[in-house]
Amino acid sequence: MTSDAAAVSSGIPAHERISANRRWAMLAAGTGASTAYSVMVNGAAFLIPVLHARHGMTLARAGLVAAAPLAGLMVALVAWGSVVDRRGERFALLTGLGVATAAGIVATQVHGFAALAIALFVAGAAGAATNSASGRVVVGWFPPERRGLAMGIRQTGQPLGVGIAAATIAVLAEKYGVATALWVPVVAGGLALLLVALVVIDPPRPERSAADPVHNPYREDTFLIRVHGASMLLVVPQFVVWTFGLTWLVDHLGWAAGWAGLVIAGTQLVGAAARIGSGHVSDLVGSRMRPMRTVAVLAAATMLALGLTASLDGPVVTALAVVLLVVASAVTVADNGLAFTAVAERAGPFWSGRALGVQNTAQHVVAASVPPLAGLAIAQWGYGATYALAALTPVLALALVPVRDERALS
């Protein structure tokens, strides 16, 4: 019997086998890995102006370059989840970050549309390991009454990565070229790789045996399917606001791009705080699904109010609409960590990697469909009506959030 299995059989909780400092260091490493990967995946979009103006790419081709790492992400999430379940979190993180960083270096050296897109696709596919693996590190090492908070902190990696990419990549690409700008995600990935190598160790798992087979949690009940479905519906208002908030401020309200950009950047920080706060609340109330249901109600109400105020004229109403845009940017992302934690807890140590991969893949598929559909709605009915329509999906999510089927935290 391994030392981990012996510890499990003796009833020693995982969080008591290491120091609190080591736990928080691993959370920092997981958050750093998530942030670095977010820089890689989202940073390519900030290359579009330079690729179009200086490198002669059409906007369509430049858009494909920007989408390449996201495409890699979506095709690899479930496969990396399987790797996490079978080989462990540390192996997946080191391998994924290592290959992603190497692919990023290749991207700084290549020329032409196809070579750049392929290098970024490989980087996106490799770095997708950070999604399931870093989430499993949190669930595996933190006690139930701290997991919500810890996962909320880990979930800030996405907005932090977007913020870093927005503040650096576009400026460096404009001044020094695409190759120089691409060193931002390369350096971020290298630093995350080093931190993971220094502090992350695999959480303990029970020893597997033929006499005690691992059951597929999807065959036990519909809990995971319902969480996936609710999360997919709650992604819609999030990406409506994220995708078209800046355009609404600039084109519809006439704001200067610089001021509008500052507001949108601020919403990323507010969204990060909302993820942490909702996770902490879930620890306090001993439930992930009850706070998730509350988030769905608040998202529906906020998007409806935003839609109504955005449809009216007048300085006071317009100011209120801008405030509601900021609030909506926070509320609509507050469920991400709750669902992620609930999926990992329910799926268990031998299925959570794949379940988290399914969770993220489903959300990204919906997220990819939102911009074109919302763009059509805005062109047809305007911003206010589109914001109000986005309030319908959180209402539908309410029927799916499996509050009654949730088990006690353990």
Side-chain angles (χ1 to χ4, degrees):
M1 182 178 291
T2 66
S3 59
D4 280 346
V8 170
S9 64
S10 66
I12 302 173
H15 65 275
E16 292 183 6
R17 300 173 213 171
I18 60 173
S19 68
N21 289 339
R22 185 62 178 270
R23 262 201 320 276
W24 288 99
M26 285 195 281
L27 174 58
T31 305
S34 178
T35 301
Y37 184 57
S38 179
V39 175
M40 174 66 75
V41 169
N42 297 290
F46 298 100
L47 298 173
I48 291 177
V50 172
L51 291 174
H52 176 59
R54 295 186 187 175
H55 294 264
M57 287 189 191
T58 64
L59 285 176
R61 282 199 166 194
L64 286 174
V65 169
L70 286 168
L73 165 73
M74 285 193 289
V75 302
L77 279 169
V78 177
W80 273 116
S82 182
V83 172
V84 171
D85 289 335
R86 288 170 169 78
R87 295 295 303 275
E89 295 77 11
R90 179 181 171 85
F91 173 84
L93 283 170
L94 292 176
T95 304
L97 285 170
V99 176
T101 302
I105 294 173
V106 171
T108 67
Q109 304 301 312
V110 299
H111 302 281
F113 159 73
L116 181 59
I118 291 171
L120 292 176
F121 176 88
V122 172
T130 62
N131 283 268
S132 296
S134 62
R136 265 290 306 155
V137 168
V138 171
V139 173
W141 280 121
F142 277 80
E145 66 274 12
R146 289 289 182 271
R147 282 186 199 138
L149 173 62
M151 190 68 82
I153 293 172
R154 181 264 180 199
Q155 291 291 93
T156 63
Q158 182 189 25
L160 290 176
V162 173
I164 291 171
T168 58
I169 290 180
V171 175
L172 289 174
E174 177 68 27
K175 290 187 176 181
Y176 304 108
V178 170
T180 300
L182 284 172
W183 279 102
V184 173
V186 169
V187 171
L191 292 174
L193 179 63
L194 177 61
L195 186 57
V196 167
L198 290 174
V199 303
V200 171
I201 52 179
D202 288 340
R205 305 184 191 194
E207 192 170 19
R208 303 173 72 166
S209 67
D212 184 24
V214 178
H215 297 287
N216 183 340
Y218 288 96
R219 295 178 180 175
E220 295 178 357
D221 53 41
T222 61
F223 182 86
L224 291 174
I225 295 295
R226 292 179 65 182
V227 174
H228 295 331
S231 298
M232 292 168 71
L233 289 167
L234 290 171
V235 159
V236 174
Q238 173 186 336
F239 274 81
V240 168
V241 171
W242 275 16
T243 304
F244 292 102
L246 180 67
T247 308
W248 175 61
L249 292 173
V250 174
D251 291 348
H252 189 73
L253 298 186
W255 283 35
W259 287 109
L262 286 175
V263 170
I264 298 302
T267 63
Q268 297 292 320
L269 297 177
V270 175
R275 296 181 187 206
I276 296 173
S278 63
H280 183 51
V281 168
S282 77
D283 290 335
L284 295 177
V285 301
S287 168
R288 316 299 179 201
M289 293 296 98
R290 294 206 306 274
M292 187 172 174
R293 181 176 59 185
T294 301
V295 168
V297 172
L298 293 175
T302 304
M303 291 303 296
L304 181 60
L306 174 60
L308 292 174
T309 53
S311 301
L312 302 174
D313 295 322
V316 175
V317 175
T318 299
L320 179 58
V322 173
V323 171
L324 286 169
L325 176 70
V326 175
V327 174
S329 298
V331 171
T332 57
V333 302
D335 66 291
N336 289 359
L338 300 173
F340 209 70
T341 308
V343 167
E345 290 175 329
R346 188 61 164 257
F350 299 114
W351 262 91
S352 56
R354 280 164 284 183
L356 291 174
V358 172
Q359 170 76 6
N360 273 322
T361 301
Q363 288 181 298
H364 278 91
V365 168
V366 174
S369 68
V370 168
L373 293 176
L376 289 173
I378 290 170
Q380 186 70 29
W381 301 303
Y383 285 98
T386 302
Y387 290 149
L389 282 173
L392 293 176
T393 57
V395 173
L396 295 174
L398 284 171
L400 288 178
V401 178
V403 175
R404 293 182 179 179
D405 296 332
E406 186 176 19
R407 298 170 184 167
L409 303 185
S410 63

